[in-house]
Amino acid sequence: MNYIIPSVIVLSICCSISIAQPELDLKPNRIEFEDLFNRYDYVLLINKGDQILTIDSIDYNDSLYILEFENNLQLPFTILPDDSIKMDVTLSGFYFVTINDTSDIINIYNDGIESPEPLEVRIRFFEDEFGEFNGIVKDSLNPVDSATVYFLY
């Protein structure tokens, strides 16, 4: 009987400590780039917990994306409970996208319940289209033999 009361107190203290923690939520948790003209999107990093959340680092392909935060925040930064930070995602390396780059993950490391929190990125356009054209290449007057023509876009 004497051991029950201290056990209940210790158990209730442990439960209250484990419940009070930060929790990162991403809205939306998936972004899609559907064509070359829509290469910008954003995600809200929301702290749904009741403690301050720290965003430690972000793992992403920096040759494809530029990530920027509102108010020019730099990593690491904190988010208060029931508050959010806007993260802009720009697909800057669109010219590197191949037909194999249809999905990607941006991992957001934090001190919340789930770390890293994955942000799914889908790329729905492809630049690996090939074609053929025929014609004659001239240098003012004379045809050029075995000429190669490059298109830059």
Side-chain angles (χ1 to χ4, degrees):
M1 181 80 171
N2 291 339
Y3 296 110
I4 294 176
I5 295 175
S7 299
V8 170
I9 293 173
V10 169
L11 183 61
S12 65
I13 290 173
C14 290
C15 289
S16 66
I17 290 173
S18 65
I19 292 173
Q21 56 188 343
E23 181 181 357
L24 177 62
D25 187 28
L26 304 177
K27 294 291 182 202
N29 62 356
R30 177 180 56 210
I31 56 176
E32 293 191 22
F33 299 108
E34 296 183 9
D35 58 49
L36 288 174
F37 301 104
N38 297 308
R39 295 179 286 123
Y40 168 81
D41 208 343
Y42 70 91
V43 176
L44 292 177
L45 309 177
I46 304 168
N47 181 1
K48 290 177 39 178
D50 56 1
Q51 298 293 317
I52 294 176
L53 174 73
T54 301
I55 304 296
D56 299 319
S57 61
I58 298 180
D59 182 29
Y60 67 101
N61 185 346
D62 61 354
S63 65
L64 289 181
Y65 311 108
I66 295 174
L67 303 182
E68 297 175 314
F69 302 98
E70 68 179 315
N71 300 326
N72 294 320
L73 289 174
Q74 299 296 316
L75 292 169
F77 58 84
T78 59
I79 304 174
L80 297 174
D82 295 322
D83 199 3
S84 65
I85 298 291
K86 181 180 175 186
M87 179 176 76
D88 297 324
V89 181
T90 305
L91 180 63
S92 60
F94 63 92
Y95 39 84
F96 293 124
V97 175
T98 65
I99 201 163
N100 297 323
D101 296 326
T102 57
S103 64
D104 199 2
I105 297 290
I106 296 175
N107 286 310
I108 302 171
Y109 292 89
N110 61 84
D111 64 350
I113 295 172
E114 183 179 338
S115 183
E117 183 78 28
L119 171 63
E120 185 180 350
V121 180
R122 291 189 180 173
I123 301 172
R124 297 287 185 217
F125 62 89
F126 311 106
E127 289 301 316
D128 284 349
E129 297 176 6
F130 297 98
E132 184 177 310
F133 67 95
N134 297 308
I136 299 172
V137 178
K138 294 183 178 182
D139 68 353
S140 298
L141 301 173
N142 303 319
V144 177
D145 191 30
S146 300
T148 303
V149 178
Y150 296 99
F151 284 96
L152 303 175
Y153 59 96

